[in-house]
Amino acid sequence: MRREEMLRRIRERAQRNEPWDIAVIGGGATGMGVAVDAAARGFQAVLLEAHDFGKGTSSRSTKLVHGGVRYLEQGNIPLVMSALKERGLLRQNAPHLVKDLAFVVPNYSWWEAPFYGIGLKLYDLLAGKYGFGASKLLTKEETLQRLPALEPEELRGGVVYYDGQFDDSRLLIHLAMTAADQGATVINYCPATGLLRDDEGYVNGLIARDDESGEAFSIKAKIVINATGVFTDQIRRMADPATEPLMVTSQGIHLVFDRSFLKGDTALMVPRTSDGRVLFVIPWHGHAVAGTTDTPVDGPSLEPKPLDEEIQFILETAGRYLTRPPSRSDVLAVYVGLRPLVKSGGASSTSAISRDHTIHVDTSGLLTITGGKWTTYRHMAEDTVDHAITLGRLRDETCVTKNLRIHGYAEPPADRNGDEDPLEVYGSDSAEIRSIAEQNPDLAKPLHPALPYIGAEVVWAARAEMARTVEDVLSRRTRALFLNAHAAMQMAEPVAKLLAQELHHDDAWVAAQLQEFSALAKQYTV
Ligand SMILES: Cc1cc2nc3c(=O)[nH]c(=O)nc-3n(C[C@H](O)[C@H](O)[C@H](O)COP(=O)(O)OP(=O)(O)OC[C@H]3O[C@@H](n4cnc5c(N)ncnc54)[C@H](O)[C@@H]3O)c2cc1C
């Protein structure tokens, strides 16, 4: 996956004035899923991302590949069933990135064991052959064995159930590589700045700009797909400035703590917080992640900011269930994501709006795919490309992604005993990173004592994963910024120097990168 090669393909096709079958705007889970699906069916597909792949919501999730116990409570059985099936397919196709995780719902009232016990049995049942493990009731002692950090006072017992956990931006990068392996052209830092129309007013392409060089392209396509998440209406307005908005936005924050706040390998699930939501505290890459909130916000932004009351809410709610309640000074990082929600007339709050996906076709022929969940990205893509075939009069090709292995596919080692190998998220590519480290032992050393990341990962990110900036490496190729913002700031200089070497930049570039990253990283501290 080399950026220069991607640009060359876009430029040459533009010069030939030859249309792509499918052009996708937006390089999050939704758009990248579409690029994988389209390319795997044999279509000529191009995907443009305005910033870096996964810069939007798709790197800021709760890291769950799940059916959504909450949607079960809302009675949305079809959504839960479809998500549970996708959960199973994703574990099958990307076992290096999707893991089974045990969750415990602690019971402090008499009615909780039967209520959640039966609900979670139904969850098991809906998963059918895609099940991850049977839920069961736990005694107080068993509950504390699994969650030693849980508040024991008035605890009666718990229910354990199983769901999936993943690394969202790592999966996204491997989806980009899968798309590229299948022949798609995918490019970051290349926003769509306008749409092209034919004589009858139908969208037949787009205008894009390479933000690194300023070069502009006219990209003709039989069908243009808008997969821009919370930015959906901005693209729709390019086709029709008077169009009615489709989207509402709500934000969710997560706080990251040292793992000692959640001992053991089990996640804590609080099914009903004081605002009627679900709160998770999850072990992730050697840390504990707590979230999330659901706060309506005005419009889209690439770097949404946490509200003080959201931070306070998570600290208080998590603190109620943990023997050592975390305080602000314990927060290693805070990250914020925006939900792309499709407007729903009757919903009383954003948390009540359905998480189903929506496909919308504007009168201009622009096809929009939005809503949904990370977990269901494959199904959303299948549905979208099916619509694109009809709308763009493409040849009728069948979807092949149900059994398509995702780049890096590798079975996790059978003898793993608890501790994660830090390179496991690269799957089969980890051998290449080890080989870079072997050739230069300096690149085998951790870049910071608090995190496992080594220099060889930076070199690999630049050479093979299209990382262009310090932020790309520390936010989405590694997860340093999301795990420990201060440590990430201290890693920025060696990362910038390694990138400068790989990408042939000078000292002025290094200095500018350090300034930009430090301003960004401050927003991830509390
Ligand atoms: C707090 C939170 C927690 C969540 N947790 C989970 C979870 O645990 N499990 C789960 O399954 N789902 C979860 N979700 C939902 C899931 O993360 C989202 O549904 C999914 O990431 C949306 O992906 P997307 O590609 O539609 O949007 P995005 O990831 O936002 O991608 C849209 C992209 O479009 C790009 N773009 C915008 N304008 C342009 C332009 N002009 N040209 C080119 N590109 C452009 C943006 O830069 C962006 O990268 C969560 C969501 C939130 C907010």
Side-chain angles (χ1 to χ4, degrees), residues 25-30 48-50 56-58 60-64 66 191-192 227-229 231 235 252 254 292 302 337-339 372-375:
I25 310 176
T30 307
L48 307 150
E49 163 55 46
T57 307
S58 297
R60 301 156 186 270
S61 76
T62 311
K63 324 301 180 200
L64 299 180
H66 62 160
T228 51
F231 300 91
I235 304 294
H254 292 85
T292 180
L302 275 178
L338 296 181
R339 290 182 190 83
K373 288 145 58 84
W374 230 124
T375 307

Side-chain angles (χ1 to χ4, degrees), residues 233-246:
D233 287 328
Q234 283 184 4
I235 304 294
R236 291 181 59 242
R237 278 196 290 272
M238 288 179 184
D240 175 6
T243 195
E244 275 290 305
L246 201 62

